[in-house]
Amino acid sequence: MVEHSIYVHPGCQAHGIGRALLSTFIAAGEDAGVWTIQSGVFPENAASLALHETLGFRVVGTRERLGRHHGVWRDVLLIERRSGATGT
């Protein structure tokens, strides 16, 4: 199992950079035999959640008041992707 985080500067968003990075990361994980990739996303980050969903991630739970953002404790959605090739 690995945990990931990908950040794309706001001025560079909507150009496919996040999709390219995450797709490459997933492929490298498959090659390395990683069975599960997980991450945490703020519930309001619809673009990140949609991207992850299209690449096979699913929400598995909510971690309450886990992440601090601009001085405010926030809930974080726990997302994961299970390999279709490894661990089956």
Side-chain angles (χ1 to χ4, degrees), residues 45-67:
N45 194 341
S48 180
L49 290 169
L51 170 61
H52 281 86
E53 184 179 351
T54 63
L55 294 176
F57 286 78
R58 64 187 180 103
V59 175
V60 295
T62 301
R63 302 180 79 187
E64 295 178 0
R65 296 177 36 94
L66 180 71

Side-chain angles (χ1 to χ4, degrees), residues 5-70:
S5 179
I6 294 175
Y7 174 81
V8 177
H9 187 277
C12 299
Q13 292 174 352
H15 297 286
I17 295 168
R19 178 181 299 273
L21 289 170
L22 189 52
S23 295
T24 301
F25 185 79
I26 290 168
E30 294 279 345
D31 290 345
V34 173
W35 182 49
T36 302
I37 301 172
Q38 74 175 24
S39 189
V41 179
F42 289 131
E44 301 82 17
N45 194 341
S48 180
L49 290 169
L51 170 61
H52 281 86
E53 184 179 351
T54 63
L55 294 176
F57 286 78
R58 64 187 180 103
V59 175
V60 295
T62 301
R63 302 180 79 187
E64 295 178 0
R65 296 177 36 94
L66 180 71
R68 191 166 181 180
H69 186 246
H70 299 297

